Amino acid sequence: MMAKMVSLTIDGKPVEVPEGTLVVNAAKKVGVDIPVFCYHPKMEPVGMCRMCLVEIGRPVIDRASGQPLREEDGSLKIQFGPKLETACTTPVSEGMVVLGATEKVKAGREDILEFLLTSHPLDCPICDKGGECPLQNLTMGFGPGESRYLYDDKKHLAKHVPLGELIYLDRERCIQCGRCVRFQELIADDPVIAFSQRGRSLEIVSYSEPGFDSYWSGNTTDICPVGALTTADFRFRARPWELKAAASICNHCPVGCNLTLNVRREAVSGGKWVLKRVMPRQNEAVNEIWICDKGRLGYHFGAQNAERLEKPLVRKNGELQPATWQEALELVTERFQSVGRGLITLASGRLSNEDLFNLGKLTRSLGGKSILYSSMAGGDLTTQIGFAPGTNFADMGKESAILVVGSDLEEEAPLWWLRVRQAAKRGATLIVLNARQTKLDRDAHYSLRFPFGTAAAAVLALVNTLSPKRPELPESIQELARSSELKAAAKAFAEAKDAAILFGGDGMGLAETQALAQACANLLLITDHFGRPNNGLLGVWPRANDQGAWELGWQPSMNLPADLAQAQALYIVAADPVSDDPAYLNAFDGQKFVVVQDLYLSQTARLADVVFPAQAWTEREGSYTSGERRVQRYYPALQPNAALPPRVESPGSRRAQVLTGLRAELDGPQADFAIPAFLAEKLGYEGFVHASASLVFARLAAEAPSFGGLSYQKLAEVHEQWPIVGRSDLYYGGTTYENTQGLGVQLPLAQGGASLLSWPQVADFKLPKLGGIAFPITRLYDRGATLMHSQLLHKRIGEPYIILSKQEASRLKISQGGFVRITFTDAERSVVVQAKVDEGLPERVVLAPRSFGLPISGPTPVELKPAG
Amino acid sequence: MSKEKPPYILLRHRDIPDLDNLEVYRQNGGFKAFEKVVTQMEPAAVTEVVKASGLRGRGGAGFPTGLKWSFIDNKSWPHYVVANADESEPGTFKDREIMEGNPYQFLEGVAICAYAVQANVAYIYLRGEFWNLAASLDQHIAALEAAGLLGENLFGSKYSLRLYTHLGAGAYICGEETALLESLEGKLGQPRLRPPFPPSYGLYGKPTIVNNVETLANVPLIIERGAEWYRSMGTEKSPGVKIFSLSGCVNKPGNYELPLGTTFRELIFEHGGGIPGGRNIKAIMAAGASSSLIVADERALDTPMDYESVPSVGAQLGSASVIVIDDSVSIPWLIDKTTHFFRHESCGKCTPCREGTFWMSHLTERIANGRARREDVELLYDVASQIRGKCLCALGEFSIEAVLSGIERFRSDFDVAVGEVQTAAHVEQVPASD
């Protein structure tokens, strides 16, 4: 139902906006900037700072007739109130006249600014916010020219208050607008900071341990309207006006948050371009204006550092030694050609669409096999009944149902957690189906628990209550299947106009997620929730471009160790299986030819015969396909180290360089899409491009059906978004960047998804009587290759640990934080780790976080002993 | 002076010994009114009686009580009643005496109000310093429950009611009804945006009636004796009696229960025994620290103390905490006290109050201590004017009343304070309280 429209004028400009719109927002829509500090368009108004004062007149209504009175000239008779009103708390009404530029209004704003400045340190010259500071800008606009406040009366407060090790507070600069406190409470649902004291002593404090314990803390520095909150990353590092901005896409998870990478060329770094900070870039269909702290503070793996590979390495006399590209490429060409079908290319979703396209094509040309390195399956289904074009979490509300199954969503894909939660707050029916409690349960209408190991069966139980053709259910799920809550949830899901399912890999590996995805697909098919906007299946993949890999035909192997062992040659790109699970070591027996292409000399790379140095995503162009099937472009922010032209000694040699053009000797890291193209060129294959990502994408669009018709130009298109951010003012939306370089395009669904699938195999799952089963879980801050280079998050990542049930802990006589020896019986590997105790966990269940060095790719038997 | 004192209505414990004993209270008609409303009256009819009585809120705003009750949103449930016992206005000490001496009449008023709006739970929010009162009220509530006057299925009806006390943590702002609700919910005591008002969005977001202790203490007798009886006292627009808390430079400070419309002169000179030491009355603050300073001339002294008349001398009746100021008191000294009070009590939520009271207190301190320039008085006036009309709640708006009226009406005191030959001796005096 369309909201009733209301007409009014703001500074003489006529506006028509939906009923209930606040005056400050109506003004923004017609380009009238009403200054605010405490108001933020993503949060409810509080009317604290009083900066948005305007004069508001309303038509005078005759009490007897109910009709508006008119002046002699026929115009509406308007009555203005005696006081200025706050535009951020006042909803529009019919015939309203808003005046935002009168002398009275200007005087009011000057009054408020004078008050704010009485205790403000005015240390703009050394403030990190200087140059992008709402208080600074508004003081220039409306502030009094001189201070009437005695300097000696100024309240001096602590300027270096770490709210945690990530966010610093400058108490003098804080103007008590409360945006940060409200963001943490209302949007992040981590109310770990608050106001303490009162009056002029009001101050922000953090009560959590560690301080400011939230994955969202960095966003408060964006919406802080002064320099009170700064990240440990950017504090005292650069001035905003020195920074250049490059549009990018976060590659930590499948959400695909739009980023802006701020870079600066600086003397302190030897004149190099340096990545100074990561900022959110608005995309209201993806991340709105937020990013999580992993995206903001975990970028260092993609920046330049001493550990990056710079030159190709070739094994000589048993040792990896630097080599030229020419030498390395020729060696690989020769060996790949000789093994042909014996080649396996193993690549991960950390790569771009272009990279995966060229790698896949090369492997096919050689007759080899491409394998996606992933702990989750089901992407064949998301390409068919995934999120249809036009799907946006922001549009899900009262008429929608969202089922989140087998996912600890905030840990796996933080922004989806945030947006699903908001959809639930708007009225969407949220069903959380998992083996254990997660943060999303707080917002769920139905929180359903299945026994560990029975995720797919639990979804079939939902199907069972709705479908005439009933899948058989294993014994362990019967109790849940009979519960009235599950039946009610199934009914709500089926009856919702739109419904979406998010499935993750919480406690599951490949086989389990395969069955789960199939069960989810069946639920969507029988309830007819696919193929149109705001319906479909969303995989909460482990990596940024897993969906893109599936769209391009990449699939994981159900028996990767065996496949790898049988291969004659391996081409491993952006994957480090040996670090993840030492069981893969068996595949590296020294008999087969191994090529690794990566940023760093990983554990796997150390075993290779040839190592190719790759460019980071910050150094090149490319595109990712998000889990929501949105193809998005990222742009280079830095220049790859050695890809800079060689040192120019004289004009003559420079000329020679230009003339030799592409024939110049390759040097330094190369793009992941370029290296397979170089190999293809040497192998004499046609149809490979290495010159630019856009050319590869053009090829990809021509050859991959679901990408048909797309181009880099299309991906770069933008349209106006609400709220309007960036532009001339920074006080309204914060320092998040306006999106001028592309909102991306959602892929059409592949054909063939409309027929009912067979019921997945769901064998009964029972926990053992002795020992235990370890289930993998995902932690946002893990010890994976992409995060361990972060210079900021070490304290949050922590040491390897497992989570035990209370019974197990008491049996082992260990308490919270004690050490335990865990033996992975299949892998014949045992490690000593810290134990955390979770009272809600069933006996025999052990939770083991992925990417913490524990060999866990799915549920796996373990034995526990007290350590020491 | 020879007038016979009529029986007390609110301070009945002064006439009846041991009225804080439930038996004594019941022997004097106690809880008959509550029984009557529960067993014989429709909830809306109770509200009608209170409306007809013309009772107005005694917390300071003077809003018609019955009208407030009628605003309760019946589309949203449950409802709550909250008694505002945060009595914190400097110079106000009436609620305390009611709760100490005549607690059951107040509790019966809470109960009747709860029935009128069909609340099954009512809270009594007491200022933190009233911990001893909270303990005694808890005992009284326990006595009521034991006597079957609170609890389930009262008087055989389906109506149930529970009362709870809650102590604040020592903030003046929590007397503001929405800040009180925040505090009662366990949050930082800061006022909410209004609208929505508590009768539609109150405690835990549910419809809530917040009334002052004295207001509620009126209710049992209004029910018992009728609206007409109540209207027979006071003035037409301000009917009934009011407890005037008299303090400052008077011989007999204390609570005086008098009809609304009694003149300042009668209160101060007849009941309060006049000014000590034969000094001259200089100014009156009718509503505690939130007051404008009334120039205590003949016209002002003859002004009736009711909600309509006090504005004619440039002030408000407010909570009727009448502070008398005599000619021994320097007005700059006085407003330095009020600005420090407001600076200390500002919650800090909105800019003008947080920063303005802080700034004003610096200026008044300098002026009162003879360290100020003439321009500082102008600046003080400017700063106070800048606060006006821009605050989120009434605290900030009231913080400037004494400042502005003090400068406007007692300018010569400021001239003395910023004069060149100040010894500052005059500002060291404290008002005599002998």
Side-chain angles (χ1 to χ4, degrees):
Chain A
M1 199 178 70
M2 288 290 285
K4 194 182 150 210
M5 299 302 278
V6 171
S7 302
L8 66 154
T9 65
I10 300 173
D11 285 352
K13 296 184 184 179
V15 200
E16 200 184 47
V17 290
E19 194 173 22
T21 304
L22 298 167
V23 169
V24 64
N25 291 334
K28 189 79 190 167
K29 284 199 167 123
V30 285
V32 175
D33 285 336
I34 295 176
V36 291
F37 289 117
C38 68
Y39 179 73
H40 190 277
K42 291 280 183 188
M43 295 188 278
E44 290 295 305
V46 282
M48 289 164 67
C49 74
R50 320 305 282 177
M51 189 61 206
C52 63
L53 296 169
V54 289
E55 281 193 79
I56 295 182
R58 295 171 176 86
V60 184
I61 306 293
D62 181 46
R63 288 206 174 188
S65 64
Q67 294 299 308
L69 294 178
R70 292 187 180 273
E71 300 282 3
E72 281 172 18
D73 62 0
S75 63
L76 287 174
K77 186 174 171 148
I78 302 292
Q79 188 170 29
F80 283 84
K83 295 201 278 188
L84 296 170
E85 295 183 49
T86 45
C88 81
T89 64
T90 311
V92 295
S93 62
E94 189 62 39
M96 187 182 261
V97 175
V98 178
L99 302 177
T102 63
E103 287 309 312
K104 191 177 172 184
V105 169
K106 283 182 189 161
R109 288 176 189 169
E110 186 177 323
D111 290 348
I112 296 294
L113 275 170
E114 185 176 31
F115 281 140
L116 286 173
L117 295 177
T118 54
S119 300
H120 191 79
L122 296 172
D123 58 348
C124 310
I126 56 143
C127 179
D128 295 304
K129 202 82 171 188
E132 53 182 18
C133 174
L135 182 60
Q136 192 180 35
N137 289 2
L138 290 173
T139 300
M140 298 303 283
F142 299 98
E146 58 189 56
S147 176
R148 296 190 293 171
Y149 192 77
L150 269 192
Y151 181 78
D152 290 348
D153 287 347
K154 264 191 190 294
K155 199 166 166 108
H156 291 290
L157 297 163
K159 294 182 75 66
H160 309 268
V161 183
L163 290 178
E165 82 280 18
L166 300 178
I167 305 292
Y168 281 79
L169 168 66
D170 182 319
R171 289 216 162 109
E172 276 191 342
R173 292 178 190 156
C174 176
I175 59 166
Q176 287 84 20
C177 72
R179 272 183 174 183
C180 54
V181 174
R182 285 179 287 137
F183 171 84
Q184 283 302 131
E185 184 183 339
L186 303 171
I187 296 182
D189 197 20
D190 287 331
V192 294
I193 54 169
F195 277 123
S196 176
Q197 306 299 327
R198 70 178 180 232
R200 195 60 199 78
S201 302
L202 202 63
E203 60 187 30
I204 305 291
V205 292
S206 174
Y207 291 113
S208 65
E209 182 55 51
F212 208 155
D213 188 16
S214 172
Y215 291 150
W216 306 96
S217 65
N219 294 297
T220 62
T221 66
D222 293 337
I223 58 175
C224 178
V226 291
L229 293 177
T230 48
T231 60
D233 188 32
F234 189 61
R235 185 176 153 84
F236 302 145
R237 297 301 163 86
R239 312 311 312 270
W241 59 84
E242 300 164 346
L243 301 173
K244 294 262 184 294
S248 193
I249 302 293
C250 184
N251 74 350
H252 278 301
C253 87
V255 174
C257 289
N258 291 207
L259 303 178
T260 290
L261 306 182
N262 277 144
V263 294
R264 176 177 84 160
R265 189 165 172 255
E266 57 186 22
V268 70
S269 302
K272 284 185 196 162
W273 286 96
V274 177
L275 183 45
K276 302 304 290 186
R277 65 174 181 182
V278 174
M279 300 289 281
R281 184 167 56 109
Q282 185 183 30
N283 190 332
E284 290 297 320
V286 179
N287 55 307
E288 302 180 16
I289 59 170
W290 317 118
I291 54 174
C292 74
D293 287 356
K294 187 178 187 180
R296 187 187 299 266
L297 305 174
Y299 60 83
H300 299 85
F301 78 98
Q304 285 150 3
N305 60 56
E307 292 168 57
R308 282 281 299 281
L309 291 168
E310 285 195 35
K311 285 178 178 302
L313 303 174
V314 174
R315 191 168 294 279
K316 292 173 189 162
N317 306 323
E319 297 213 356
L320 284 171
Q321 291 178 8
T324 63
W325 275 100
Q326 191 68 17
E327 185 186 350
L329 288 170
E330 270 169 16
L331 176 61
V332 173
T333 308
E334 186 191 310
R335 298 298 298 268
F336 279 5
Q337 215 159 14
S338 70
V339 298
R341 290 183 166 277
L343 171 70
I344 284 184
T345 301
L346 182 70
S348 83
R350 229 166 71 201
L351 297 171
S352 73
N353 295 318
E354 296 77 7
D355 305 335
L356 291 164
F357 174 75
N358 268 0
L359 283 166
K361 193 166 164 172
L362 174 71
T363 310
R364 268 195 310 281
S365 305
L366 283 160
K369 184 176 172 188
S370 302
I371 297 176
L372 176 64
Y373 186 63
S374 172
S375 59
M376 273 181 74
D380 48 334
L381 297 170
T382 56
T383 59
Q384 299 173 64
I385 59 165
F387 275 14
T391 299
N392 184 348
F393 279 118
D395 297 332
M396 299 184 194
K398 282 194 172 59
E399 295 183 315
S400 297
I402 302 173
L403 168 62
V404 179
V405 52
S407 172
D408 187 349
L409 198 53
E410 197 195 28
E411 302 283 348
E412 293 172 14
L415 243 302
W416 285 345
W417 168 85
L418 185 148
R419 304 192 81 213
V420 165
R421 169 179 144 81
Q422 286 178 345
K425 284 189 167 299
R426 281 190 298 272
T429 303
L430 175 60
I431 306 162
V432 175
L433 185 57
N434 206 358
R436 63 189 182 102
Q437 192 175 1
T438 66
K439 188 172 170 186
L440 193 60
D441 282 310
R442 297 183 200 167
D443 299 288
H445 298 85
Y446 300 97
S447 282
L448 305 171
R449 294 276 169 281
F450 53 75
F452 273 85
T454 63
V459 175
L460 288 185
L462 290 167
V463 172
N464 213 305
T465 67
L466 300 167
S467 159
K469 281 167 66 183
R470 297 169 148 218
E472 278 195 29
L473 299 178
E475 181 57 34
S476 51
I477 204 75
Q478 291 293 348
E479 191 183 328
L480 174 68
R482 281 193 293 266
S483 74
S484 57
E485 215 192 348
L486 178 125
K487 286 175 184 159
K491 187 162 180 283
F493 185 87
E495 288 174 1
K497 181 171 156 273
D498 298 312
I501 301 180
L502 287 77
F503 77 99
D506 193 61
M508 288 173 275
L510 266 182
E512 295 79 19
T513 48
Q514 174 78 52
L516 175 61
Q518 209 171 330
C520 291
N522 279 324
L523 180 58
L524 290 166
L525 289 164
I526 63 159
T527 56
D528 194 26
H529 285 312
F530 65 96
R532 53 181 202 279
N534 302 325
N535 289 272
L537 184 63
L538 178 59
V540 188
W541 309 119
R543 292 189 183 79
N545 199 32
D546 279 337
Q547 185 62 38
W550 286 99
E551 302 283 348
L552 291 165
W554 288 72
Q555 296 204 359
S557 158
M558 285 297 163
N559 195 352
L560 188 57
D563 278 350
L564 294 189
Q566 283 163 22
Q568 289 169 283
L570 292 175
Y571 186 12
I572 300 174
V573 188
D576 185 11
V578 174
S579 292
D580 294 338
D581 191 343
Y584 290 117
L585 267 172
N586 301 338
F588 301 84
D589 52 4
Q591 301 300 309
K592 60 175 66 78
F593 183 69
V594 179
V595 178
V596 171
Q597 180 172 317
D598 214 329
L599 303 177
Y600 297 92
L601 194 65
S602 66
Q603 291 302 318
T604 310
R606 286 172 205 278
L607 302 169
D609 296 294
V610 176
V611 179
F612 288 135
Q615 291 173 0
W617 106 106
T618 52
E619 297 160 347
R620 42 160 290 197
E621 272 194 294
S623 68
Y624 295 133
T625 308
S626 75
E628 295 176 90
R629 311 180 68 255
R630 180 176 296 272
V631 184
Q632 305 187 103
R633 265 181 83 174
Y634 58 89
Y635 298 73
L638 300 169
Q639 286 187 291
N641 253 359
L644 289 168
R647 182 176 290 275
V648 176
E649 299 297 344
S650 68
S653 64
R654 180 181 201 171
R655 189 176 166 78
Q657 280 292 332
V658 174
L659 286 176
T660 49
L662 288 170
R663 287 174 162 272
E665 188 82 353
L666 283 176
D667 194 12
Q670 300 295 322
D672 283 300
F673 62 81
I675 299 167
F678 292 138
L679 291 171
E681 198 176 59
K682 292 214 178 289
L683 287 159
Y685 296 142
E686 296 286 319
F688 285 83
V689 194
H690 57 68
S692 78
S694 62
L695 292 175
V696 180
F697 191 83
R699 201 57 74 165
L700 185 165
E703 294 179 27
S706 51
F707 290 76
L710 289 186
S711 64
Y712 263 28
Q713 287 75 11
K714 274 222 166 78
L715 300 183
E717 284 174 8
V718 290
H719 56 74
E720 176 146 317
Q721 303 187 82
W722 181 260
I724 297 163
V725 300
R727 304 207 188 167
S728 60
D729 76 281
L730 296 154
Y731 42 80
Y732 183 71
T735 48
T736 190
Y737 274 77
E738 184 181 5
N739 197 325
T740 57
Q741 288 181 278
L743 296 168
V745 177
Q746 272 173 306
L747 294 175
L749 291 166
Q751 294 300 311
S755 58
L756 196 62
L757 303 154
S758 60
W759 305 129
Q761 292 290 319
V762 284
D764 205 0
F765 189 91
K766 290 227 167 66
L767 289 166
K769 290 265 185 290
L770 287 171
I773 301 279
F775 294 88
I777 60 169
T778 298
R779 300 287 300 169
L780 186 67
Y781 295 158
D782 62 21
R783 298 181 69 86
T786 54
L787 205 55
M788 284 306 279
H789 286 94
S790 169
Q791 290 158 16
L792 298 155
L793 294 171
H794 286 124
K795 279 192 180 168
R796 310 274 161 153
I797 293 169
E799 297 299 314
Y801 67 93
I802 57 168
I803 305 173
L804 301 177
S805 68
K806 205 173 136 190
Q807 296 87 338
E808 201 69 55
S810 70
R811 187 162 32 238
L812 295 168
K813 298 193 173 57
I814 52 165
S815 52
Q816 190 77 264
F819 284 87
V820 63
R821 176 171 291 280
I822 180 167
T823 305
F824 295 83
T825 38
D826 290 357
E828 293 171 6
R829 183 148 179 268
S830 96
V831 275
V832 173
V833 289
Q834 240 183 353
K836 298 185 180 182
V837 182
D838 179 352
E839 303 205 342
L841 220 53
E843 210 173 344
R844 306 284 169 210
V845 169
V846 177
L847 301 181
R850 289 186 178 92
S851 295
F852 271 84
L854 305 175
I856 179 137
S857 52
T860 185
V862 291
E863 283 167 11
L864 298 164
K865 282 186 188 141
Chain B
M1 294 295 281
S2 57
K3 275 189 287 186
E4 176 132 343
K5 172 77 186 86
Y8 279 108
I9 291 164
L10 301 167
L11 305 175
R12 283 203 294 156
H13 54 284
R14 292 187 180 183
D15 291 334
I16 307 166
D18 298 329
L19 197 59
D20 61 345
N21 179 311
L22 182 56
E23 281 313 304
V24 177
Y25 182 67
R26 292 185 80 174
Q27 283 157 19
N28 286 278
F31 279 89
K32 285 280 187 297
F34 183 48
E35 183 172 0
K36 179 180 164 190
V37 299
V38 173
T39 56
Q40 297 170 33
M41 293 174 75
E42 287 294 315
V46 181
T47 300
E48 284 309 310
V49 175
V50 175
K51 234 187 214 176
S53 75
L55 175 64
R56 295 170 65 167
R58 301 297 193 232
F63 191 82
T65 305
L67 191 62
K68 186 191 263 187
W69 295 8
S70 71
F71 289 156
I72 193 92
D73 181 355
N74 283 318
K75 290 190 290 292
S76 173
W77 295 89
H79 294 170
Y80 294 103
V81 165
V82 177
N84 185 345
D86 189 62
E87 183 164 63
S88 306
E89 186 66 46
T92 308
F93 38 84
K94 61 193 180 61
D95 297 339
R96 172 177 167 178
E97 186 177 349
I98 294 172
M99 290 186 288
E100 281 174 348
N102 191 9
Y104 287 108
Q105 186 168 329
F106 156 59
L107 294 174
E108 187 177 1
V110 176
I112 294 169
C113 174
Y115 178 78
V117 298
Q118 289 294 290
N120 299 113
V121 173
Y123 294 95
I124 298 154
Y125 183 97
L126 297 124
R127 63 178 291 173
E129 295 83 347
F130 282 173
W131 52 270
N132 55 340
L133 262 176
S136 71
L137 284 175
D138 284 342
Q139 286 175 9
H140 297 317
I141 291 166
L144 289 170
E145 293 195 352
L149 296 167
L150 286 177
E152 308 294 313
N153 299 90
L154 296 169
F155 313 110
S157 73
K158 285 184 180 163
Y159 184 67
S160 305
L161 176 64
R162 299 266 175 202
L163 301 191
Y164 301 96
T165 58
H166 181 94
L167 275 174
Y172 171 73
I173 187 61
C174 292
E176 196 280 342
E177 61 178 2
T178 57
L180 183 156
L181 295 173
E182 289 283 296
S183 172
L184 187 53
E185 289 181 9
K187 300 176 187 159
L188 189 66
Q190 290 191 333
R192 297 175 182 168
L193 271 183
R194 299 189 305 174
F197 293 94
S200 52
Y201 188 95
L203 187 62
Y204 306 116
K206 297 298 175 186
T208 303
I209 298 298
V210 184
N211 274 144
N212 171 258
V213 171
E214 184 188 354
T215 313
L216 292 164
N218 278 288
V219 172
L221 295 186
I222 290 173
I223 298 295
E224 191 182 311
R225 302 180 190 176
E228 281 310 304
W229 163 79
Y230 197 74
R231 282 195 167 279
S232 70
M233 298 172 290
T235 70
E236 192 199 337
K237 287 187 174 165
S238 302
V241 293
K242 175 86 190 77
I243 301 175
F244 296 91
S245 297
L246 184 63
S247 66
C249 310
V250 285
N251 281 316
K252 291 196 284 176
N255 283 324
Y256 294 92
E257 179 184 312
L258 298 166
L260 281 159
T262 305
T263 62
F264 283 110
R265 191 188 299 279
E266 183 184 331
L267 174 71
I268 296 166
F269 290 96
E270 286 186 29
H271 303 287
I275 314 299
R279 291 191 292 271
N280 292 319
I281 186 167
K282 181 175 177 179
I284 302 168
M285 299 177 88
S290 299
S291 237
S292 293
L293 297 177
I294 299 169
V295 179
D297 56 14
E298 297 301 313
R299 185 173 79 92
L301 288 173
D302 286 326
T303 301
M305 293 183 290
D306 58 53
Y307 297 107
E308 287 68 43
S309 306
V310 178
S312 72
V313 286
Q316 299 291 331
L317 180 60
S319 57
S321 42
V322 179
I323 301 172
V324 179
I325 292 129
D326 72 20
D327 59 8
S328 70
V329 179
S330 156
I331 298 301
W333 176 88
L334 179 72
I335 64 160
D336 187 41
K337 295 289 166 211
T338 66
T339 56
H340 274 78
F341 172 76
F342 286 112
R343 164 195 167 161
H344 183 66
E345 295 296 347
S346 168
C347 79
K349 186 169 183 177
C350 76
T351 307
C353 176
R354 178 184 68 238
E355 307 290 345
T357 54
F358 189 72
W359 192 355
M360 284 198 302
S361 72
H362 283 300
L363 293 166
T364 58
E365 196 172 304
R366 269 204 294 281
I367 294 168
N369 290 315
R371 292 190 286 110
R373 303 160 300 163
R374 186 166 291 275
E375 302 89 283
D376 286 330
V377 179
E378 309 296 333
L379 181 57
L380 175 63
Y381 194 84
D382 268 8
V383 172
S385 307
Q386 267 175 235
I387 296 172
R388 170 173 279 170
K390 298 192 184 75
C391 298
L392 183 72
C393 82
L395 189 152
E397 303 287 344
F398 285 151
S399 72
I400 59 171
E401 293 292 335
V403 175
L404 292 177
S405 60
I407 295 173
E408 283 166 5
R409 298 170 191 172
F410 298 91
R411 182 65 202 229
S412 59
D413 278 27
F414 287 87
D415 291 341
V416 171
V418 297
E420 288 181 345
V421 283
Q422 276 315 303
T423 60
H426 69 290
V427 298
E428 296 304 327
Q429 294 170 1
V430 292
S433 58
D434 44 324

